[in-house]
Amino acid sequence: MIAFALRLAVSGGRPAVARLLTIAAAAAVGVGLLLSTLAAVNAVGATNERMLWANSGAASRTETADADPLRWRDHGPEYYDGRRLLLIDVAATGPTSPVPPGLTRLPAAGEYYASPALAELIRERPADQLADRFPGRLAGEIGDAALASPDSLVLVAGHDPEALAARPGVREVTTIATALPPACAADCPAVGTRGDAMTLILSVVAGALLFPVVVFIGTATRLSAAAREQRYAAMRLVGATPRQITLIAAAESTLAAVAGTALGFAVFLLLRPLVATVPFTGDRFFAEDLTLTAPQALAVLLGVPLAAAVAAGLALRRVTVSPLGVSRRSTPGPPSAWRVAPLLAGLAELAWFVGHRPATTNGQTAAYLTGFLVIMFGLVLAGPWLTMAAARAVAARTSRPATLIAVRRLADDPKAGFRSVAGLVLALFVTTATVAVIGTIDANRGTLSGDPQTRAAVEHGAPVGGPPMAGAVPEQVLAELRAVPGFRGLAIAHANPDGLARDRSEPHDRVAPNLTVCSELAQVPVVGHCAPGTAVAAVRPFGFLSLKSQETTRWPSAPITAEEAARLPVQSVYVTTDGSTAAKERVRTILGRAFPDQNGRTVQDWGSAQQQELAGWRQLADVVLLTTLPIAGCSLAVSVVAGLSDRRRAFAMLRLTGAPLGLLRRVIALESALPLLVVAAIATGTGFAAAAMFLKSQMDYDLVPPGAVYFALVLLGLAVSLGIIASTLPLLKRITGPEAARNG
């Protein structure tokens, strides 16, 4: 029976082959996207595993081995032009000291190994902007095994054991970390990606991508549905059992699905190098990290053909129940209002979580992903009822023949009318929700880039509340800073051991303010200014490196002379420049060389991690938009063509009775355009509502309406959709000739 079914599947001539190819193509696209998403989730975990070695110096680690200790120091956060650098200082105490992955040997004192991306930067940039920060010479490059990404900036520097032991934060390790430490504080470099959060994001993206693909596959299976139903009904009349008919239909659809699934794995392999370049986590993936587990591959390999077989059986319920169910062509019952219930339930679920945000990422994934998927399912389920309601409303207010025929057909069979636009409606919902979420996050976090004046400054020193970085700044260092092209001003923040001018009523004054001589503060007006006649100002610790310019801020005076303040230990040095990368990095290099146990920081560094995250989310939004809209367009074209093919005899009879071709074309256009426009408006509103509730629940953000670009994109999408409908109308003349009425 299966062999007979396979022969039957390809014996219907060109239409049958075209249908099988379309199903296979739809399955290939869906499988390729699904595998790419699964591989991206796996790559996040692989990326984090590559960087476990960097946590070897964590104080909570207890792993030991019989080896010479390796002195280890995480240099702390370091940046170049907003890009994070991971700097590890090491010193071997014997020949058996452990070697980190990616290195063939430990660097000797005065040597360092750099990642390929950092080595390239060191070679390309002037030494006084980057290379001079690293004492010694470049001995080689770090291998991929120790890097999270091809773009990672990592450096392992060798030191004399005794000299390194005298520096703060040094630990002795006898093993290299291969798992996360039990607890992480400042001694665990923040170089990994929060896999749980990225899994949540990618899960939502997977749902957004796969729903239109599922609709496309379902639409493709409807090609030549009427002819196949007639054929199966005839087989029932000559004695075929329902089980045999179901088996034949399942074998036919499974044949195409198996071919499409196999092709989907090939599509994944072709997409893998492209997916690796998308900075989902802020940096690119290594292509070899985009892999699938055996259970994942097996589930897709077996699940997609099985789903196709089940869908084929459900699509032929009329034939398997009664062979006369097709020939009688009874009008299906109208959809009931309960179809709107899942849509409302999905919105209600998201609304409930506003103020009840789950505490864990797994809980958030279950809550938000479920809500969005239920809403998308609800839109598909409610679409026919909404189409029927709109058609009945239009029918009551029109007398034009084309409009009456179109809306009466939509009212009689709204499922068929909505089926053609379901993919585009979902794409519009996904587009709206994605743009609204990303736009709102961008509007709320975009300020992390700071004001132009604050972005031009570099601060180097001890962390707020920490011990001073030095007793004084050498005059030679001050002279080098002032000689930097693009230098604008310099102020030194001194420690305030006696807590002068401290306002304990202010919550941000948990530590005493820094003391700055007013003559220096006048050189950096972006920080603020002194009161007239004041010699020393008490500047809040967070007042120096601030996102917003504080030119209008008048700092309180401190009861101390300028000479006394200048003799106090130095907490930090604040330098303003012309804003060029060259000037800022030269300043950072000079101060890093003079005070190697502290780090330089800029406003750009502060916001770089969040900006990278936003860039990755924007990239995901682009992926969703560029994927769902073409798929939905293909679904629309296939659906309209399938509808024309199934009703060619009815249209041919209308032409024989004198109905003009233009009238029939208007009927087809209205049948597709009315559900598209009505449900599109509801999908857009639903997308905004879902985005608003997600943002309020997850991030406590109020929805920021998208700009004109979004609305232009929506109008363009609707115009292209109407153009796709119009492009299928010329087929009407060819398939509704007299022979169609005779042979239908």
Side-chain angles (χ1 to χ4, degrees):
M1 184 59 69
I2 294 178
F4 170 72
L6 296 180
R7 287 199 305 272
L8 193 64
V10 296
S11 63
R14 269 198 243 171
V17 174
R19 175 179 170 276
L20 293 176
L21 290 177
T22 304
I23 296 175
V29 171
V31 169
L33 291 174
L34 176 59
L35 295 179
S36 297
T37 304
L38 292 174
V41 173
N42 295 340
V44 173
T47 295
N48 288 341
E49 288 180 3
R50 286 174 177 269
M51 297 307 302
L52 290 173
W53 68 272
N55 300 315
S56 298
S60 61
R61 288 189 67 234
T62 58
E63 296 88 348
T64 60
D66 185 14
D68 294 320
L70 175 68
R71 287 178 179 159
W72 183 286
R73 178 177 181 269
D74 170 25
H75 196 274
E78 184 69 35
Y79 292 85
Y80 175 83
D81 195 20
R83 298 178 62 186
R84 172 73 182 265
L85 280 68
L86 173 64
L87 307 182
I88 302 293
D89 297 323
V90 297
T93 62
T96 62
S97 294
V99 179
L103 301 180
T104 56
R105 64 175 180 85
L106 289 169
E111 293 182 340
Y112 60 83
Y113 286 88
S115 63
L118 181 56
E120 183 178 359
L121 276 178
I122 290 173
R123 288 189 292 266
E124 291 179 351
R125 300 298 188 269
D128 60 355
Q129 294 183 31
L130 183 59
D132 287 351
R133 302 182 202 177
F134 317 127
R137 65 179 185 85
L138 177 63
E141 294 186 354
I142 300 173
D144 293 348
L147 305 177
S149 162
D151 302 320
S152 296
L153 304 181
V154 181
L155 184 140
V156 179
H159 294 267
D160 176 77
E162 300 306 320
L164 185 61
R167 298 180 67 176
V170 176
R171 292 195 69 242
E172 291 190 345
V173 301
T174 55
T175 62
I176 301 299
T178 56
L180 281 175
C184 271
D187 55 0
C188 285
V191 294
T193 299
R194 284 187 57 200
D196 51 2
M198 187 54 61
T199 298
L200 169 62
I201 296 169
L202 289 174
S203 298
V204 174
V205 169
L209 290 175
L210 292 179
F211 241 81
V213 172
V214 170
V215 172
F216 183 26
I217 295 175
T219 301
T221 60
R222 298 291 304 175
L223 280 172
S224 304
R228 286 183 295 118
E229 286 180 346
Q230 292 280 6
R231 182 175 62 193
Y232 294 147
M235 294 172 64
R236 285 292 316 278
L237 287 171
V238 297
T241 66
R243 182 176 178 276
Q244 290 172 328
I245 293 298
T246 301
L247 181 61
I248 292 172
E252 185 180 4
S253 296
T254 304
L255 171 65
V258 168
T261 302
L263 188 60
F265 277 84
V267 170
F268 163 65
L269 294 177
L270 292 175
L271 287 177
R272 192 165 71 158
L274 179 63
V275 174
T277 65
V278 179
F280 294 126
T281 61
D283 290 315
R284 296 177 295 162
F285 289 128
F286 284 108
E288 55 266 31
D289 287 343
L290 290 164
T291 57
L292 301 167
T293 65
Q296 288 172 340
L298 188 62
V300 173
L301 195 60
L302 299 179
V304 173
L306 180 62
V310 172
L314 294 176
L316 292 170
R317 288 191 306 270
R318 285 197 304 173
V319 179
T320 56
V321 171
S322 170
L324 299 178
V326 175
S327 59
R328 289 173 180 168
R329 297 289 181 186
S330 59
T331 300
S336 59
W338 71 263
R339 285 175 166 268
V340 185
L343 175 60
L344 298 178
L347 291 172
E349 192 244 21
L350 289 181
W352 189 87
F353 283 108
V354 176
H356 301 85
R357 175 189 173 191
T360 66
T361 300
N362 288 337
Q364 293 165 19
T365 301
Y368 303 128
L369 180 59
T370 300
F372 275 94
L373 291 180
V374 169
I375 289 173
M376 287 191 281
F377 174 75
L379 283 172
V380 174
L381 197 63
W385 185 85
L386 296 170
T387 299
M388 180 189 69
R392 289 178 176 178
V394 173
R397 292 170 175 79
T398 187
S399 58
R400 296 182 178 181
T403 307
L404 279 173
I405 294 173
V407 296
R408 285 298 299 273
R409 169 172 163 75
L410 287 175
D412 286 344
D413 192 4
K415 293 180 183 178
F418 174 74
R419 190 182 300 123
S420 63
V421 300
L424 277 166
V425 168
L426 285 176
L428 188 57
F429 168 78
V430 170
T431 299
T432 301
T434 302
V435 170
V437 169
I438 299 298
T440 300
I441 294 174
D442 197 20
N444 281 271
R445 296 187 180 180
T447 55
L448 289 170
S449 57
D451 289 340
Q453 304 96 311
T454 61
R455 289 199 301 268
V458 177
E459 184 183 33
H460 189 100
V464 173
M469 74 172 188
V473 180
E475 286 298 328
Q476 181 181 351
V477 173
L478 296 175
E480 290 179 5
L481 290 172
R482 295 187 177 102
V484 170
F487 171 86
R488 291 291 183 266
L490 179 150
I492 298 175
H494 295 273
N496 185 4
D498 297 328
L500 302 175
R502 182 176 181 179
D503 185 357
R504 297 183 182 275
S505 65
E506 291 291 336
H508 51 248
D509 279 350
R510 297 185 301 272
V511 295
N514 296 319
L515 302 179
T516 302
V517 177
C518 288
S519 60
E520 294 178 356
L521 195 60
Q523 300 178 37
V524 289
V526 66
V527 175
H529 59 277
C530 296
T534 300
V536 178
V539 181
R540 196 171 68 241
F542 296 101
F544 279 95
L545 199 63
S546 174
L547 294 173
K548 297 293 184 181
S549 172
Q550 301 187 89
E551 290 180 293
T552 60
T553 301
R554 175 183 290 181
W555 298 108
S557 61
I560 187 174
T561 66
E563 293 74 15
E564 291 172 331
R567 290 194 294 269
L568 291 172
V570 174
Q571 197 74 23
S572 66
V573 179
Y574 188 85
V575 180
T576 56
T577 69
D578 59 2
S580 65
T581 298
K584 289 188 292 184
E585 298 307 328
R586 286 189 174 103
V587 167
R588 204 196 307 250
T589 300
I590 292 171
L591 291 171
R593 218 173 42 233
F595 307 103
D597 291 335
Q598 281 75 36
N599 300 100
R601 47 194 178 266
T602 68
V603 166
Q604 183 182 10
D605 302 339
W606 250 9
S608 63
Q610 289 86 348
Q611 292 296 335
Q612 280 189 340
E613 184 180 25
L614 281 176
W617 289 0
R618 294 189 197 102
Q619 189 74 47
L620 285 173
D622 292 341
V623 169
V624 171
L625 299 182
L626 295 176
T627 303
T628 56
L629 290 178
I631 291 173
C634 293
S635 178
L636 176 62
V638 170
S639 183
V640 174
V641 171
L644 286 174
S645 177
D646 287 346
R647 291 182 290 149
R648 59 181 178 178
R649 186 172 185 273
F651 285 128
M653 295 297 292
L654 285 173
R655 287 192 64 188
L656 287 177
T657 59
L661 190 61
L663 175 69
L664 301 182
R665 286 174 175 167
R666 288 194 294 275
V667 170
I668 296 295
L670 287 170
E671 284 182 2
S672 300
L674 181 62
L676 171 65
L677 297 177
V678 170
V679 186
I682 295 173
T684 301
T686 304
F688 282 127
M693 289 183 284
F694 168 77
L695 289 164
K696 193 65 177 177
S697 172
Q698 178 72 1
M699 302 176 179
D700 198 25
Y701 291 162
D702 292 323
L703 178 68
V704 176
V709 174
Y710 160 77
F711 294 101
L713 178 64
V714 170
L715 293 176
L716 178 62
L718 293 175
V720 170
S721 302
L722 296 175
I724 291 173
I725 295 172
S727 69
T728 64
L729 298 181
L731 292 173
L732 191 62
K733 181 177 181 180
R734 191 172 65 186
I735 67 175
T736 58
E739 67 280 0
R742 183 172 59 253
N743 299 326

